[in-house]
Amino acid sequence: MPQLNPSPWFGILVFSWFIFLTIIPLKIMSHLPPNEAISQDTLLFITEAWSWPWY
């Protein structure tokens, strides 16, 4: 039964986990967001309460 021979499959498993744990995270972490977040002044957004009657 060739499925029980671990020699070819163990190498594939180790190599794939090596790629998943080293190369892919580095590529994901190197991406920058398209727009940097800016802080907005909260004083500009002061609104008044609505004076609508409730029916």
Side-chain angles (χ1 to χ4, degrees), residues 1-15:
M1 299 175 82
Q3 295 92 339
L4 298 178
N5 184 7
S7 65
W9 304 112
F10 184 72
I12 293 170
L13 175 75
V14 169
F15 184 70

Side-chain angles (χ1 to χ4, degrees), residues 30-42:
S30 68
H31 287 283
L32 297 175
N35 295 324
E36 292 294 328
I38 57 172
S39 62
Q40 296 179 346
D41 191 12
T42 56

Side-chain angles (χ1 to χ4, degrees):
M1 299 175 82
Q3 295 92 339
L4 298 178
N5 184 7
S7 65
W9 304 112
F10 184 72
I12 293 170
L13 175 75
V14 169
F15 184 70
S16 62
W17 275 105
F18 173 75
I19 290 175
F20 288 142
L21 295 177
T22 58
I23 297 172
I24 293 176
L26 293 175
K27 290 190 172 286
I28 291 173
M29 294 300 290
S30 68
H31 287 283
L32 297 175
N35 295 324
E36 292 294 328
I38 57 172
S39 62
Q40 296 179 346
D41 191 12
T42 56
L43 297 177
L44 296 176
F45 297 106
I46 296 175
T47 59
E48 296 180 10
W50 290 351
S51 60
W52 294 359
W54 294 94
Y55 291 109

